[in-house]
Amino acid sequence: MTWRWAGGSIATVPSGRERRPDRVRVRYRRADGGFAETTLDRVVPAEVVAGLPVREFRWYKGRQHYSGWYWSATMNGHVVYESRLELARIMLADFDPAVAGLAAQPFQLAGPDGGRDRRHVPDLLLAGGDGTVTVVDVKAASRLGDPEVRAQFSWTRAVAASRGWGFEAWSGADKELLDNVWFLAGYRRGLVISSGLLPVVLDAAREQATIGSVERALAGEYPVQLVRPAVLHLLWTGRLRADLRRPLGAATPVRLAAGAS
C-alpha cells in the first residue's frame, strides 16, 4: 500500500481489531444528493467517486480559506477544493494518466482509535484505472509536526490499509512542476483545441526534437496559434512527454509517449 509521508516518525497505529474495515463506519453522498451509510468493507469506491462532497461548502466575506470549484478533465465536471494547496493536488491528480476518477471530501470515516471514537473527512479519494484506491490528506508543511495531525494520519493510514487502499499525506510538490502543470491545465479542454491537428502534431513530433521545432516544421501549413495549443494539449494528456521539472518553452525537448498515435 502506498503511503507518502513528508514528516518524521508517526504515532502508534491502532490495533488490528480496531482498524478492521467492518468496524469503520462510512458516510457519503450519492449523486442524487442523498446520504448513504455503510461500513468500510462494503463501500463501493465508484459510487463515492460518482457522488457529491459529503460536506457542504459555504462562501462568505472574510473567510480565511480559498475555496472554489476546479473543472476536471478526468471527471468531465467540477471538483470542489477548500484551499489553494488542495487545488494543486487535485490538478496534479487530473494531470496523472493513472488516475481514472477523483472525489473531494469523499466521505466521513468514523471508528475506534484507542480510547476515543475518531471521525475524519479525508480531502481526496483517487481511483486508479487499475482498480487501486488512494486516500489523500492535504496539509500545509507547517502543520505536519502537530501531534493531532500525525495521529489522524496514522489512523487514516491504518483504516485505508485495512481495505487494501493506499494513503498519501501531501504537503506540496516541486515548484517548477506545479507551475508547468498549472500552465498546461489551461489546455486541458479538448473543445478549445483544433482536434484535427493532433495527429499532425504527433506525426511531426516523431521527427522533431523540441516544441519549437515541431512548430517550425508545420509553419508552412498551419499557424503557430493553432499548433502550439495542440502541442500543449498533447503534453497535458500525456501523449507527448517532456521534463516538467525544467522551464517549459520552445526549446523544451518533447517525445512521443509509448503507444501514442
Side-chain angles (χ1 to χ4, degrees):
M1 276 73 70
T2 300
W3 185 33
R4 303 181 184 93
W5 172 248
S9 60
I10 61 170
T12 304
V13 299
S15 69
R17 182 172 178 271
E18 286 184 338
R19 65 184 183 224
R20 276 173 30 191
D22 61 343
R23 297 202 70 207
V24 177
R25 303 181 300 281
V26 180
R27 189 170 192 259
Y28 64 96
R29 288 179 73 192
R30 300 185 300 267
D32 62 7
F35 285 93
E37 296 193 20
T38 186
T39 52
L40 186 61
D41 59 320
R42 297 190 176 191
V43 72
V44 179
E47 291 183 6
V48 176
V49 169
L52 300 173
V54 72
R55 292 193 306 210
E56 299 230 358
F57 292 85
R58 293 178 174 84
W59 288 265
Y60 52 85
K61 185 177 180 180
R63 179 180 168 91
Q64 293 185 352
H65 295 292
Y66 185 97
S67 304
W69 294 88
Y70 168 86
W71 188 87
S72 163
T74 301
M75 299 302 296
N76 194 30
H78 288 90
V79 179
V80 72
Y81 59 89
E82 287 190 290
S83 68
R84 294 284 294 185
L85 198 60
E86 279 187 26
L87 173 58
R89 185 63 187 91
I90 289 169
M91 181 195 63
L92 289 176
D94 199 31
F95 178 66
D96 187 348
V99 175
L102 62 142
Q105 317 298 317
F107 44 48
Q108 182 190 71
L109 300 171
D113 180 15
R116 62 178 287 186
D117 190 45
R118 186 179 291 275
R119 297 174 184 272
H120 177 54
V121 177
D123 294 308
L124 296 172
L125 188 75
L126 307 182
D130 58 358
T132 58
V133 175
T134 303
V135 176
V136 181
D137 268 327
V138 177
K139 285 288 186 293
S142 60
R143 297 197 59 198
L144 295 179
D146 185 323
E148 177 56 27
V149 169
R150 291 152 68 95
Q152 175 189 296
F153 284 172
S154 176
W155 182 79
T156 308
R157 169 187 179 256
V159 165
S162 73
R163 179 63 198 270
W165 296 350
F167 174 72
E168 176 184 312
W170 194 83
S171 60
D174 177 81
K175 184 180 184 303
E176 197 70 60
L177 172 66
L178 283 175
D179 288 347
N180 284 332
V181 176
W182 275 121
F183 177 69
L184 292 177
Y187 299 88
R188 67 190 184 277
R189 298 173 185 257
L191 292 176
V192 300
I193 305 299
S194 179
S195 59
L197 262 180
L198 298 181
V200 176
V201 170
L202 285 172
D203 190 54
R206 298 178 195 278
E207 305 294 332
Q208 304 299 324
T210 66
I211 291 176
S213 63
V214 169
E215 293 173 350
R216 289 190 295 273
L218 298 176
E221 299 179 72
Y222 305 99
V224 69
Q225 293 88 343
L226 293 180
V227 174
R228 183 168 298 170
V231 172
L232 298 175
H233 178 73
L234 288 167
L235 284 169
W236 169 267
T237 60
R239 295 166 72 185
L240 283 180
R241 297 292 179 86
D243 181 1
L244 297 182
R245 295 183 184 275
R246 299 177 64 85
L248 192 63
T252 297
V254 291
R255 66 187 186 282
L256 267 67
S261 61

